[in-house]
Amino acid sequence: MVKIIDQRHLPFDFVIEELSTVKGIVSAIKDMHLRGAPLIGVAAAYGVYFAALDTPDDVRFDSHVYDAGELLKTARPTAVNLSWAVDIQLENLTKGKSKSDKIEILLDQAHKLAAEDIERCRNIGKSGLPLIENIAQGKNGEPVNILTHCNAGWLACVDYGTATSPIYMAHDQGIHVHVWVDETRPRNQGARLTAWELQEHGVPHTVITDNTGGHLMQNNKVDLVFVGTDRTARNGDVANKIGTYLKALAAFDNNIPFYVAAPSSSIDWDCHDGLNCIEIEKRDADEVKYVEGSINNRISRVLIAPIESDAINYAFDVTPSRLVTGLITERGICQAIEKSMLNLFPEFR
Amino acid sequence: MVKIIDQRHLPFDFVIEELSTVKGIVSAIKDMHLRGAPLIGVAAAYGVYFAALDTPDDVRFDSHVYDAGELLKTARPTAVNLSWAVDIQLENLTKGKSKSDKIEILLDQAHKLAAEDIERCRNIGKSGLPLIENIAQGKNGEPVNILTHCNAGWLACVDYGTATSPIYMAHDQGIHVHVWVDETRPRNQGARLTAWELQEHGVPHTVITDNTGGHLMQNNKVDLVFVGTDRTARNGDVANKIGTYLKALAAFDNNIPFYVAAPSSSIDWDCHDGLNCIEIEKRDADEVKYVEGSINNRISRVLIAPIESDAINYAFDVTPSRLVTGLITERGICQAIEKSMLNLFPEFR
């Protein structure tokens, strides 16, 4: 059994959900009880383990687990961490001899993936911290203003977060940081999750609509942009939450560094051209036509458009590498180009 | 007495409000019962008339009306149509001789401004229509996809709208148009007003989050962008609803024509540098932290962020002229540069 925070209730309620079946993990990913590329990967790894544990006696063990892995991969299409983690698990099936051996290996591997994710995020913090420190030096105690989109915080990972990791580290070292939090429609992961995380950690922040970042950048109110990634292509193109591309354009137009916190688990080395090879998830149009929030501490949703109007809901977009100042990885910062990425990760040459 | 549509109830309810005092007009503008740069101008013109009508006997008529004009101008700072219309009215005070003369002139002028606004919008339609026709020719019956932000429709004017005027005209001529409607947070004028207008008129449209336009443009799903303007500077910079700048960047990055429907009443010939001279309205942060919509046909609002989190609410941004393909005016299309604008409006040389 794993315990997750059912993020659908945040920031209004803190609900722990217990999951112990692959089916439970699949719906938790699909319906976004949990989300965030790194966390999806780790959850899926446990999902494979649950499938193994639940294999009926009259069914071939390996093929049952393979099928479960394929099912997990279809839960959401864009974040590569999902198939990456499932594939690592499925390779384990060739390692153990008995069924019980394999089950033990799968559990160990899931634990290991969770631990490694924490370590990667911590190291992303270390890699990104100097970017904030350098700007802080020229600020005479004025806050370093960092804009972020969606939630690439610890809620999206196991701990620390990706884009937030250097921010927490800087804050904990006494550097004055302030975060502009894009609300991130349609599901408002920025307003609901990132703002909550920052609030809990005591990091000064201001929630803004997704429309606002450009204006702030034009008026020297943003020093850095940090975002996460759901899939980074070998050419440095970055798929992330819908709207990221617009912020990258604005950062480029205003000479503001735009960094993507990219753990290696989110790099798809087989994708050579992000703009053309990454599948963009299309979700229910009702997420656009209705906005969910709280009325007197009860989660409710309001209709914000004519009921007859069509709506469409693309969940991600792709930011071309030319707009990305750098990728912050667990091994350091590199340019968003293949050659520079391979310098840090030569094993993928 | 004037009748307005109290737009705060749309698209869920159609409420007519009767206004007959300058105070009523000021709050209707401030609290956005009515909004849209051209409509604000016309409403303010009637406001000056109401002030004149209501002048107490023991008060100097002219100075009472001047004071009312100044009050009207402060209702909202960004749309220039407001001060433009008020100034036209205040000049009238020098024309009439008696109090009753002046009141009659003010009423006539308000009617004239309303009629001229309709005419300007109709002519913007004529000016912009060929842009749609040209694209339609290459489309073999496939729809011409036009993206718009906020509401620059007839609800924002007296009739036709600015950005929507060419769209309605094209649709009425049997050209297959389809409109991408940015929801336009925080007040969702796109989802609530533009979608409603288009729905009522039978124009195919799809509501999208403000984050989505860039992705659509990258994927050849947008042929044209049409937006309105609250203040166009002499150098072609355009203040419009917050987020317009981000769409202009995306259009530029994808070689998509980005046109601003700019009636001459929205051009501030005294402002030589839009990025530096246009005051950007800051509204209540609660418009960001709460989203208003309908639950079972009752307007309600949901909290979408931690109650403790700060939020900030800039209502407009400025799109630099370099990103504007052209201005669609009532006298034709010009480039967003002073020289070209003055060719159409030589009286401001």
Side-chain angles (χ1 to χ4, degrees), chain A residues 24-343:
Chain A
I25 297 274
V26 168
S27 12
I29 294 173
K30 220 176 228 173
D31 302 335
M32 296 175 67
H33 307 206
L34 57 86
R35 25 64 54 207
L39 184 59
I40 289 175
V42 173
Y46 283 101
V48 175
Y49 160 70
F50 291 145
L53 211 58
D54 280 353
T55 313
D57 285 339
D58 57 344
V59 166
R60 259 195 62 219
F61 178 78
D62 280 16
S63 71
H64 174 77
V65 178
Y66 273 114
D67 289 351
E70 293 308 314
L71 181 72
L72 279 160
K73 285 188 197 178
T74 64
R76 295 192 71 191
T78 304
V80 73
N81 310 60
L82 181 56
S83 56
W84 169 83
V86 169
D87 285 339
I88 288 175
Q89 283 290 50
L90 295 182
E91 271 177 44
N92 281 319
L93 291 177
T94 59
K95 292 180 189 162
K97 277 176 187 159
S98 67
K99 180 173 154 180
S100 63
D101 261 12
K102 292 180 180 182
I103 289 175
E104 204 187 313
I105 293 174
L106 290 172
L107 179 60
D108 285 349
Q109 180 75 71
H111 288 336
K112 197 173 159 228
L113 285 172
E116 284 172 356
D117 191 70
I118 296 174
E119 197 52 21
R120 266 194 300 272
C121 287
R122 214 172 54 86
N123 284 320
I124 283 175
K126 283 190 193 169
S127 304
L129 178 62
L131 298 172
I132 302 177
E133 286 174 329
N134 287 343
I135 290 173
Q137 277 168 10
K139 282 245 149 183
N140 289 316
E142 288 292 301
V144 178
N145 287 300
I146 301 167
L147 185 139
T148 192
H149 190 69
C150 198
N151 174 263
W154 63 260
L155 282 166
C157 307
V158 185
D159 204 353
Y160 301 109
T162 55
T164 56
S165 186
I167 297 172
Y168 287 132
M169 225 170 255
H171 174 81
D172 292 347
Q173 294 193 5
I175 295 173
H176 191 178
V177 288
H178 166 264
V179 183
W180 296 110
V181 179
D182 274 1
E183 61 174 345
T184 319
R185 279 276 290 146
R187 289 182 67 108
N188 288 338
Q189 293 96 329
R192 295 181 63 167
L193 305 180
T194 303
W196 179 78
E197 270 195 31
L198 295 171
Q199 179 69 24
E200 291 288 304
H201 202 98
V203 180
H205 64 282
T206 307
V207 177
I208 52 174
T209 66
D210 301 312
N211 284 322
T212 307
H215 173 71
L216 294 175
M217 292 185 206
Q218 281 179 320
N219 289 278
N220 303 314
K221 290 178 177 165
V222 179
D223 297 303
L224 277 170
V225 182
F226 281 176
V227 297
T229 168
D230 289 83
R231 191 182 292 241
T232 308
R234 196 178 181 105
N235 70 342
D237 289 350
V238 173
N240 191 45
K241 182 56 52 195
I242 190 83
T244 302
Y245 166 52
L246 296 172
K247 294 303 141 63
L249 284 168
F252 192 83
D253 199 45
N254 293 284
N255 273 311
I256 294 165
F258 180 94
Y259 283 95
V260 177
S264 59
S265 57
S266 74
I267 301 174
D268 183 352
W269 297 100
D270 294 331
C271 169
H272 290 259
D273 175 0
L275 279 162
N276 286 306
C277 81
I278 301 175
E279 183 185 345
I280 300 298
E281 181 181 8
K282 233 167 107 177
R283 296 182 59 85
D284 193 332
D286 276 0
E287 292 184 352
V288 174
K289 286 176 73 174
Y290 293 83
V291 176
E292 201 184 81
S294 151
I295 301 179
N296 301 325
N297 283 316
R298 250 190 49 200
I299 289 188
S300 313
R301 57 179 215 166
V302 290
L303 174 68
I304 59 144
I307 191 82
E308 306 85 359
S309 291
D310 283 333
I312 205 164
N313 184 6
Y314 293 101
F316 302 93
D317 64 20
V318 177
T319 298
S321 58
R322 66 186 150 87
L323 302 175
V324 177
T325 310
L327 304 176
I328 309 174
T329 80
E330 70 267 27
R331 293 195 193 160
I333 294 176
C334 65
Q335 287 177 273
I337 52 171
E338 184 175 1
K339 198 180 146 190
S340 179
M341 290 159 70
L342 287 173
N343 278 342

Side-chain angles (χ1 to χ4, degrees), chain B residues 218-328:
Chain B
Q218 280 179 321
N219 288 277
N220 303 314
K221 290 178 179 167
V222 179
D223 296 304
L224 277 170
V225 181
F226 281 175
V227 297
T229 167
D230 289 81
R231 191 184 293 242
T232 308
R234 196 178 181 102
N235 70 340
D237 290 350
V238 173
N240 190 43
K241 182 56 52 196
I242 189 85
T244 301
Y245 165 52
L246 295 173
K247 294 303 140 63
L249 285 167
F252 191 83
D253 199 45
N254 292 284
N255 273 311
I256 293 165
F258 180 94
Y259 283 96
V260 176
S264 59
S265 57
S266 75
I267 301 174
D268 183 352
W269 297 100
D270 295 330
C271 169
H272 291 260
D273 175 0
L275 279 163
N276 286 307
C277 80
I278 300 175
E279 184 185 345
I280 299 298
E281 181 181 7
K282 234 166 106 177
R283 296 183 58 84
D284 192 332
D286 276 358
E287 292 184 353
V288 174
K289 286 177 73 175
Y290 293 83
V291 177
E292 201 185 81
S294 151
I295 301 178
N296 302 323
N297 284 317
R298 250 190 50 198
I299 290 188
S300 313
R301 57 177 216 168
V302 291
L303 174 67
I304 59 145
I307 192 80
E308 305 85 359
S309 291
D310 281 334
I312 205 163
N313 183 9
Y314 292 102
F316 303 92
D317 63 21
V318 178
T319 298
S321 58
R322 65 185 151 86
L323 302 175
V324 178
T325 310
L327 304 176
I328 309 174

Side-chain angles (χ1 to χ4, degrees), chain B residues 76-195:
Chain B
R76 294 192 71 191
T78 304
V80 73
N81 310 58
L82 181 56
S83 55
W84 170 83
V86 169
D87 286 339
I88 289 176
Q89 283 290 50
L90 296 182
E91 271 176 45
N92 282 319
L93 291 177
T94 59
K95 292 179 188 161
K97 277 175 187 158
S98 67
K99 180 175 154 179
S100 63
D101 262 13
K102 291 180 182 181
I103 289 175
E104 204 188 312
I105 293 174
L106 290 172
L107 180 60
D108 285 350
Q109 181 74 71
H111 288 336
K112 196 171 161 232
L113 286 171
E116 284 172 357
D117 191 70
I118 296 175
E119 197 52 21
R120 266 194 299 273
C121 287
R122 215 172 55 85
N123 284 320
I124 282 175
K126 284 189 191 170
S127 304
L129 178 62
L131 298 172
I132 302 177
E133 286 174 330
N134 287 343
I135 289 172
Q137 277 168 10
K139 282 247 154 182
N140 291 314
E142 289 292 302
V144 179
N145 288 299
I146 302 166
L147 185 140
T148 192
H149 190 69
C150 198
N151 174 262
W154 64 259
L155 282 167
C157 308
V158 185
D159 205 353
Y160 301 108
T162 55
T164 56
S165 186
I167 297 172
Y168 287 133
M169 226 171 254
H171 174 81
D172 292 347
Q173 294 193 6
I175 295 173
H176 190 178
V177 288
H178 166 264
V179 183
W180 297 110
V181 179
D182 275 1
E183 61 173 346
T184 318
R185 278 276 290 146
R187 288 182 68 107
N188 288 336
Q189 292 96 329
R192 295 182 63 167
L193 305 180
T194 303

